[in-house]
């Protein structure tokens, strides 16, 4: 009897399916082209030159000062997107990032600027602000998690209501309890943080004296931690498996209720960081002007398909649009054109990715059908099985 033949080493490239990869790469590009085309039509209806408008937006957006502001906005949008993406991976729709970020930043700012904290050195105070913000954000998100697991309340409804409640609580505490009004100021804020606890900026953009907010580094670290946790840990596997098929995950021993609570706590904890880049690096206090980023994070997460690199690109794009819309006012062009572009971009991306997924599945089914219809043999069957398994693994991500 001949000795068994050693199995050939598997190539990592065999998991890459061009039939599925190419549509996934083309989808976002096609969606952005469609968004630009619809925005151009809106400009033409307004008797404006779309080519000139897009050129002015681009020229203004690439100036050094604009690049700094784009990165500053992108760091906030990215944190919010990661918070939303954690829930999306679990099949949860956490639209409460807005409220979680507000109440978390307020509580952290109020505690860190309190008079009884004057003894704390600046570096330790920064750590305190980050930790408190994450804990408060997680605690606020836990309300929705408990309502869902214990009473079956949809997290969409509960987090939406908690946004309003959180905003009202912050307004009440700021104006009637813990807020202070600095000399010459028109509004109340939390106390000004001591200068030694201001997070230094990053002089990474040439041609300007402005610095990128130092919290950008934490945003990058957060993205790396998100990728590692989702793709390289047992918790990440359970999270994706539960979001992809909760019944199969439960059959394999995953506690669905525990996963819901854990995912919401992590999502809320990350949401607590959303307003910290500005508070630590720019305003050095909490004001009622903070807000509006949580809902943008949903759009960025959808645009980036919950992938760390995709969300980073989406955050930069959103930052560019938010910055470049300023030049439209000066040119007499309605800045609502940018809002149209943003909304159409998200809608187009969602539709384009769904079409790409269907095209990829159809191509995979045709390929597997062709292989299984071939003469019986171990090699074709193994290839088909491996291809299907690899595709299923990619789908679960």
């Amino acid at each position: 009897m001949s000795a068994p033949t050693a199995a050939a080493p598997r190539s990592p490239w065999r998991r890459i399916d061009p039939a599925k990869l190419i549509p996934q790469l083309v989808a976002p590009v096609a969606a952005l082209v469609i968004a630009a085309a619809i925005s151009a039509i809106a400009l033409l209806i307004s008797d404006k030159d779309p080519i000139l408008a897009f050129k002015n937006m681009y020229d203004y957006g690439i100036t050094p000062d604009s690049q700094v502001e784009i990165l500053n906005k992108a760091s906030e949008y990215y944190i919010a997107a990661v918070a939303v993406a954690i829930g999306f991976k679990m099949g949860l729709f956490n639209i409460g990032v807005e409220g979680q970020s507000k109440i978390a930043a307020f509580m952290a700012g109020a505690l860190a600027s309190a008079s009884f904290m004057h003894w704390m050195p600046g570096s330790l105070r920064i750590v305190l602000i980050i930790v408190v913000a994450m804990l408060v954000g997680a605690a606020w998100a836990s309300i929705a998690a408990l309502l869902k697991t214990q009473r079956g309340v949809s997290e969409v409804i509960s987090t939406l209501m908690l946004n309003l409640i959180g905003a009202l609580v912050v307004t009440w505490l700021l104006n009637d309890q813990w807020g202070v009004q600095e000399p010459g100021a028109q509004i109340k804020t939390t106390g000004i943080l001591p200068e030694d606890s201001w997070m230094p900026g990053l002089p990474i953009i040439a041609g300007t004296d402005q610095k990128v907010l130092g919290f950008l580094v934490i945003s990058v670290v957060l993205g790396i931690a998100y990728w590692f946790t989702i793709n390289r840990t047992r918790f990440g596997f359970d999270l994706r498996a539960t979001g992809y098929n909760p019944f199969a995950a439960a059959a394999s021993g995953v506690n669905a209720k525990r996963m819901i609570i854990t995912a919401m706590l992590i999502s809320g904890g990350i949401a607590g960081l959303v307003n910290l880049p500005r508070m630590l690096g720019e305003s050095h206090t909490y004001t009622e002007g903070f807000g509006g980023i949580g809902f943008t994070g949903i759009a960025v997460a959808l645009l980036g398909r919950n992938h760390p690199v995709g969300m980073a690109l989406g955050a930069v794009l959103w930052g560019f649009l938010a910055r470049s819309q300023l030049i439209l006012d000066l040119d007499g062009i309605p800045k609502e054109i940018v809002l149209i572009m943003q909304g159409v971009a998200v809608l187009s991306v969602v539709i384009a990715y769904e079409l790409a997924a269907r095209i990829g599945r159809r191509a995979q089914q045709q390929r597997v059908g062709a292989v299984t219809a071939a003469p019986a043999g171990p090699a074709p069957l193994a290839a088909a099985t491996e291809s299907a398994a690899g595709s299923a693994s990619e789908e679960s991500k």
Side-chain angles (χ1 to χ4, degrees):
M1 181 181 294
S2 60
T5 306
R10 291 183 58 185
S11 171
W13 298 106
R14 296 183 66 180
R15 293 187 59 187
I16 298 178
D17 187 353
K20 296 187 67 178
L21 179 62
I22 293 177
Q24 293 288 334
L25 294 177
V26 172
V29 177
L32 294 178
V33 171
I34 293 173
I38 294 178
S39 300
I41 294 174
L43 286 168
L44 289 173
I45 294 175
S46 303
D47 294 328
K48 302 297 181 181
D49 185 354
I51 297 178
L52 179 61
F54 292 151
K55 180 179 182 301
N56 290 341
M57 290 174 63
Y58 174 78
D59 292 341
Y60 183 71
I62 63 174
T63 61
D65 288 349
S66 293
Q67 291 179 39
V68 171
E69 185 60 22
I70 288 170
L71 289 178
N72 290 342
K73 290 180 178 295
S75 64
E76 300 170 314
Y77 297 157
Y78 187 70
I79 295 172
V82 172
V84 173
I86 291 290
F88 281 163
K89 287 291 186 181
M90 176 65 194
L92 299 173
F93 199 175
N94 179 18
I95 58 176
V97 172
E98 182 73 9
Q100 294 153 15
S101 62
K102 276 189 175 183
I103 197 167
F106 170 77
M107 291 296 183
L111 177 62
S113 61
S115 57
F116 60 83
M117 301 293 293
H118 68 278
W119 58 271
M120 184 173 289
S123 57
L124 187 58
R125 196 187 303 260
I126 292 176
V127 175
L128 174 70
I129 291 173
I130 293 175
V131 172
V132 170
M134 294 187 70
L135 291 176
V136 173
W140 198 250
S142 69
I143 300 175
L146 293 175
L147 287 174
K148 183 175 181 65
T149 56
Q150 303 303 317
R151 290 293 180 263
V153 179
S154 169
E155 75 280 1
V156 175
I157 298 175
S158 59
T159 53
L160 184 61
M161 293 298 100
L162 285 168
N163 279 339
L164 178 60
I165 295 172
L168 294 176
V169 168
V170 168
T171 300
W172 170 64
L173 291 175
L174 189 63
N175 292 321
D176 298 333
Q177 303 297 324
W178 300 341
V180 297
Q181 190 165 355
E182 299 292 335
Q186 301 296 321
I187 59 175
K188 286 187 176 182
T189 67
T190 57
I192 303 296
L193 296 173
E195 191 168 349
D196 63 350
S197 60
W198 296 359
M199 184 170 284
L202 305 173
I204 59 177
I205 302 298
T208 178
D209 294 332
Q210 297 187 30
K211 297 180 180 180
V212 176
L213 297 177
F215 215 88
L216 177 67
V217 176
I218 296 180
S219 301
V220 174
V221 173
L222 178 64
I224 296 173
Y226 167 78
W227 172 84
F228 181 83
T229 301
I230 294 298
N231 297 288
R232 293 294 184 268
T233 65
R234 173 60 185 270
F235 169 77
F237 176 81
D238 290 345
L239 188 75
R240 289 184 286 115
T242 307
Y244 185 66
N245 192 328
F247 300 105
S252 65
V254 177
N255 189 320
K257 289 187 176 181
R258 183 187 304 166
M259 289 300 299
I260 290 174
I261 294 175
T262 304
M264 285 296 291
L265 288 177
I266 295 176
S267 179
I270 296 174
L273 303 175
V274 168
N275 290 314
L276 297 193
R278 298 284 180 182
M279 190 172 77
L280 288 174
E282 190 174 272
S283 66
H284 313 301
T285 185
Y286 178 88
T287 72
E288 285 193 285
F290 287 177
I293 301 174
F295 295 111
T296 303
I298 299 174
V300 173
L302 291 172
L303 191 63
R305 296 290 290 178
N306 304 323
H307 191 281
V309 177
M311 290 188 295
L313 296 176
V316 172
L317 173 62
W318 236 248
F320 170 81
L321 294 175
R323 175 66 176 182
S324 60
Q325 73 177 359
L326 301 177
I327 198 64
L328 297 182
D329 281 339
L330 299 178
D331 293 339
I333 299 174
K335 63 180 180 181
E336 286 75 17
I337 295 297
V338 172
L339 300 179
I340 294 174
M341 185 180 295
Q342 291 174 338
V344 173
V346 174
L347 183 61
S348 300
V349 164
V350 172
I351 296 174
Y353 272 119
E354 178 60 26
L355 291 176
R358 292 186 180 185
I359 293 172
R361 286 195 296 267
R362 186 176 302 138
Q364 175 194 345
Q365 291 169 357
Q366 292 175 350
R367 187 175 59 255
V368 172
V371 171
T372 54
L381 182 59
T385 304
E386 181 180 340
S387 175
S391 299
S393 175
E394 291 298 321
E395 283 285 337
S396 67
K397 294 181 180 180

